Amino acid sequence: MTSRPRGPRPGGPDTRTAILAASREEFATRGYDGATIRGIAVAAGVDPALVHHYFGTKEKLFAAALELPFNPGDIFARVLVGGIDGVGERLLRAVFAAWQDGGARAPVMAVIRTATSSDKGAEMLREFLDRNVLQRIAAELAPDRAKLRAGLVASQMAGLLMARYVISLPALAMASDEDIIAAVAPNLQHYLSGDLGRPVGSGDRRATL
């Protein structure tokens, strides 16, 4: 009888599955920033090089762990290409286009439902979107008060997606994408590039928000 070899397992049919299982546990326990490729590899019993081989980056591994059929960072990278003008409309169109992909709808809905029903799921998704999407948009496009602007965009988008796709409010569920874009895009544009006003009694705090 031969003993099982010690050390990381080589690549095989079950390697990708093992990495995904380990990554879900690591992301849930440590959060996006706390989880590392090396830590995930150790938990999966594989060499870190295999994690990179199968998934490339931690961002893409997280997207796979949440069963997203696309990488959100790639979508928002395209949103940034045109600069600040029209970014509110491009953002909405990118989100709607991703949703209308037949292969994307079910897993995205599952992610939304998980985030609304699970503290860990909500924390994972919130941390990822804030770090890799919202902060990136605000930092590259917002003229000032980047964190506040990113938060306002997040609140608008989260409310819209919940109301239209999860709760299915009739007025929003039956409205066309173009109607919603016409109504909501100007708000997003204002949050990212408009004058947010000066908070009463804020003093110098405005520059830090």
Side-chain angles (χ1 to χ4, degrees), residues 41-66:
V42 169
V46 303
D47 190 280
L50 283 175
V51 180
H52 289 292
H53 170 73
Y54 282 103
F55 299 99
T57 65
K58 186 169 77 167
E59 181 182 49
K60 292 179 180 179
L61 174 57
F62 183 83
L66 289 184

Side-chain angles (χ1 to χ4, degrees), residues 4-97:
R4 183 178 179 178
R6 296 183 178 181
R9 74 160 65 106
D14 62 340
T15 301
R16 189 178 189 279
T17 300
I19 293 172
L20 279 175
S23 70
R24 291 184 182 109
E25 183 63 29
E26 288 290 298
F27 284 130
T29 302
R30 305 178 188 279
Y32 182 84
D33 285 332
T36 65
I37 292 293
R38 181 173 295 278
I40 291 168
V42 169
V46 303
D47 190 280
L50 283 175
V51 180
H52 289 292
H53 170 73
Y54 282 103
F55 299 99
T57 65
K58 186 169 77 167
E59 181 182 49
K60 292 179 180 179
L61 174 57
F62 183 83
L66 289 184
E67 298 182 351
L68 291 176
F70 55 83
N71 178 13
D74 291 342
I75 291 178
F76 286 93
R78 294 195 295 271
V79 170
L80 296 174
V81 170
I84 192 66
D85 292 338
V87 69
E89 179 176 337
R90 292 198 304 276
L91 177 58
L92 270 181
R93 289 191 183 281
V95 171
F96 287 160

